[in-house]
Amino acid sequence: QQPVQSPQAVILREGEDAVINCSSSKALYSVHWYRQKHGEAPVFLMILLKGGEQKGHEKISASFNEKKQQSSLYLTASQLSYSGTYFCGTRATYSGAGSYQLTFGKGTKLSVIP
Amino acid sequence: KAGVTQTPRYLIKTRGQQVTLSCSPISGHRSVSWYQQTPGQGLQFLFEYFSETQRNKGNFPGRFSGRQFSNSRSEMNVSTLELGDSALYLCASSLRQGAEQYFGPGTRLTVT
């Protein structure tokens, strides 16, 4: 089942912060985050594993709330280069059939303006 | 290291035809996954191959098939094309199953 991302779209001015959420109805083993710029391939940002860890990448960080089966991506002091569509991909089980399949949300379009 | 390459980049076919898309993963990567991307639907998982075996399959009709060769290169085939098959087809490779995925530029398929 496809995870639900919110918001669907957001417009920020340079320097502002944003939070993108990814929720699943299934128990999650891991969450992947990717960014896709217009006309380009998705680019890997980070993986969060079951255990609720928080990871960081430049000014972009993320958390994974195991109890809520939700991950949040935090973008601080946004830059023009952050513009793009952000996708979360969820892996629902640790073992068994389909366990390595990533199911992606529909994406959150982030636009950063000067 | 060279990235993931996909050929062809653009393709125009007519309904009823079949098509084969090719994906060369990053050297050393053994897992290849295929996705269909359409506006508003995000990335829909097609299938994943690891060590020449299909390990996972998404919810697509049997017209969609694929294979992986001993050098990890992968192909996907769509038979009896329908208008709704028009999409960007992305392949992604990873070092192992479940690891971060590296996407190719995609093949833009248009069915007329």
Side-chain angles (χ1 to χ4, degrees), chain B residues 10-89:
Chain B
Y10 302 91
L11 209 49
I12 300 175
K13 292 285 188 178
T14 55
R15 275 182 300 176
Q17 287 187 313
Q18 75 164 20
V19 67
T20 299
L21 311 181
S22 181
C23 172
S24 292
I26 291 172
S27 177
H29 284 197
R30 297 171 60 196
S31 173
V32 174
S33 297
W34 287 89
Y35 298 90
Q36 181 194 66
Q37 186 173 33
T38 53
Q41 288 301 314
L43 296 152
Q44 302 286 308
F45 174 78
L46 282 157
F47 26 66
E48 184 224 358
Y49 285 87
F50 181 79
S51 293
E52 301 179 63
T53 303
Q54 187 181 92
R55 303 291 177 150
N56 296 288
K57 191 175 193 305
N59 190 26
F60 278 82
R63 301 185 295 107
F64 291 82
S65 63
R67 58 178 176 169
Q68 186 180 35
F69 302 95
S70 58
N71 60 358
S72 294
R73 190 177 70 84
S74 178
E75 288 182 347
M76 68 162 278
N77 184 78
V78 188
S79 62
T80 320
L81 284 166
E82 300 177 0
L83 294 179
D85 296 334
S86 294
L88 180 66
Y89 290 87

Side-chain angles (χ1 to χ4, degrees), chain A residues 2 32 34 36 41-42 44 47 87 91 97-102 104-106, chain B residues 35 37 40-45 48 56-57 90 97-101 103-104:
Chain A
Q2 199 171 29
H32 296 217
Y34 294 80
Q36 184 177 30
F44 170 76
I47 290 180
F87 293 98
R91 184 180 153 195
S99 61
Y100 293 106
Q101 176 179 328
L102 269 189
F104 284 91
K106 292 187 178 182
Chain B
Y35 298 90
Q37 186 173 33
Q41 288 301 314
L43 296 152
Q44 302 286 308
F45 174 78
E48 184 224 358
N56 296 288
K57 191 175 193 305
L90 292 160
Q97 289 184 286
E100 63 266 28
Q101 298 186 354
F103 285 82

Side-chain angles (χ1 to χ4, degrees), chain B residues 90-109:
Chain B
L90 292 160
C91 89
S93 75
S94 57
L95 199 57
R96 60 185 184 283
Q97 289 184 286
E100 63 266 28
Q101 298 186 354
Y102 296 86
F103 285 82
T107 294
R108 172 77 61 186
L109 172 65

